[in-house]
Amino acid sequence: YAMLLSLIFLIVLVAAIVGFVFRHEIKTNFESNLNRALRDYNVTADRHSEAVDTIQRTLHCCGVQNYSDWERTEYFSQRGIPRSCCKSQNDCSEEDLKDPNKAKLKVFVDGCFFLVTSTMESKMSVVAGISFGIACFQLIGIILSCCLSRYITNNQYEMV
């Protein structure tokens, strides 16, 4: 049991170290994937399009760097900026979304990349605290299971 807990503890420790060391690569990879999701965006509700819509609605953002990122997509040439960028769904017509100048007043102008990364960084202290607490419980479990094993092998543990 102690070996199993030690193995899990080491895996979590290595994952945390790798995440910290490669955090810049993770950001770059996220940005390129977000750009690809915008480029391949469609209304057929595939997973990537749903993820883009959810991010834009939840964080009140539009595009990767700003709303004008949509102008370089195939979707924009057909339908304009997606409705998930609209500040108010009632005050957002399709004609407004096709015109970048009108859309600027109707959609969120901030990009999603900065908001997602800043949200993740702000929540990182909570994640680190919870992870540290779990690691402490794992270490206590490892120590107690080693003590129990030593007592069993020394015949100091009485069978009931």
Side-chain angles (χ1 to χ4, degrees), residues 55-143:
I55 289 171
Q56 291 181 152
R57 275 192 207 100
T58 305
L59 296 179
H60 305 294
C61 60
C62 190
V64 178
Q65 300 301 329
N66 57 36
Y67 76 100
S68 64
D69 292 335
W70 283 104
E71 294 175 36
R72 296 184 296 273
T73 64
E74 186 178 321
Y75 180 83
F76 181 81
S77 61
Q78 297 170 357
R79 297 193 175 172
I81 297 174
R83 294 189 67 80
S84 59
C85 284
C86 293
K87 293 177 184 175
S88 171
Q89 295 295 321
N90 300 332
D91 188 33
C92 219
S93 68
E94 195 169 318
E95 296 81 33
D96 293 339
L97 295 174
K98 286 183 178 180
D99 182 10
N101 295 324
K102 289 181 184 176
K104 183 177 184 179
L105 303 172
K106 307 273 183 172
V107 300
F108 304 114
V109 291
D110 296 330
C112 293
F113 175 71
F114 175 73
L115 288 174
V116 169
T117 55
S118 63
T119 301
M120 286 174 28
E121 288 171 359
S122 69
K123 305 292 185 206
M124 207 51 102
S125 60
V126 173
V127 171
I130 292 171
S131 300
F132 181 72
I134 291 172
C136 287
F137 280 117
Q138 283 181 321
L139 289 175
I140 291 169
I142 291 168
I143 292 168

Side-chain angles (χ1 to χ4, degrees), residues 7-8 23 26 41 46 72 107 123-124 138 149 160:
L7 179 66
I8 293 170
R23 67 186 181 277
I26 292 170
Y41 183 88
D46 66 337
R72 296 184 296 273
V107 300
K123 305 292 185 206
M124 207 51 102
Q138 283 181 321
S149 173
V160 178

Side-chain angles (χ1 to χ4, degrees), residues 137-152:
F137 280 117
Q138 283 181 321
L139 289 175
I140 291 169
I142 291 168
I143 292 168
L144 290 177
S145 64
C146 287
C147 290
L148 180 62
S149 173
R150 192 183 75 213
Y151 284 131
I152 289 173

